[in-house]
Amino acid sequence: MRGYDGAMPDRPCVCDLRLTRCDASCNRRMLEKTFYMACLDLSGRSCLVIGAGPVGLEKIEGLLAADGRVTVIAPEAIDEVRDLAAEGSVEWLERRYAPSDLEGRFLVVAATSDTALNVQVFEDAERRAMLVNVVDVPPLCNFILPAIVRT
């Protein structure tokens, strides 16, 4: 995301380019990539979301709409996520992520603002050959979640 002056903000490079400063050039490479389109049947499958803020909530709701069995890991959560946990729609583990949290999961979505944590989740998931999406960081995804309209 560019600042008001059009320049890229100083942020660490997390892609395989390992630049001194992120210039988002890896995002341009994503436009050239050919994706194999698939629709996942998540019915009853164990899905993990790391992060319980507004973005995490959006991903949680999408997974629930696809009948996924959703576990959320976050030390804090917005009210809507707390409500979903209270009604039993999701399991909320009120703590920080640990690599062992990935065991037995079908996919994981990292929806945090913590770059180091997002990188760790990606690397841990890749080592397990599991589906991983780090929200808004295409180089840290082996699947993407394009915008969809549900009616």
Side-chain angles (χ1 to χ4, degrees):
M1 180 182 319
R2 295 188 183 276
Y4 291 113
D5 61 358
M8 293 300 295
D10 282 333
R11 60 182 175 174
C13 179
V14 296
C15 74
D16 59 329
L17 298 176
R18 298 293 184 222
L19 303 173
T20 313
R21 185 183 132 206
C22 175
D23 68 1
S25 57
C26 54
N27 290 334
R28 286 189 295 279
R29 288 189 330 200
M30 292 295 289
L31 295 174
E32 298 167 358
K33 187 174 285 220
T34 301
F35 287 94
Y36 180 77
M37 297 304 292
C39 296
L40 302 176
D41 177 3
L42 298 181
S43 299
R45 293 191 186 266
S46 182
C47 302
L48 182 63
V49 176
I50 313 297
V55 175
L57 174 63
E58 177 186 326
K59 303 310 175 189
I60 292 164
E61 290 174 333
L63 293 168
L64 289 174
D67 199 29
R69 196 167 32 90
V70 180
T71 300
V72 179
I73 297 178
E76 299 175 12
I78 61 173
D79 290 341
E80 293 88 345
V81 175
R82 289 176 179 273
D83 292 344
L84 288 170
E87 72 186 31
S89 295
V90 302
E91 177 185 15
W92 174 34
L93 304 177
E94 193 174 347
R95 61 172 173 74
R96 295 195 50 80
Y97 163 82
S100 60
D101 292 325
L102 299 179
E103 298 305 321
R105 311 289 182 183
F106 181 70
L107 66 78
V108 60
V109 175
T112 82
S113 58
D114 182 334
T115 299
L117 175 58
N118 291 340
V119 170
Q120 180 184 358
V121 170
F122 172 76
E123 290 174 349
D124 293 344
E126 278 284 288
R127 274 193 292 282
R128 288 166 174 79
M130 65 184 293
L131 294 172
V132 57
N133 178 279
V134 175
V135 176
D136 292 335
V137 187
L140 297 183
C141 300
N142 59 26
F143 77 98
I144 59 171
L145 296 167
I148 61 169
V149 176
R150 288 189 172 93
T151 57

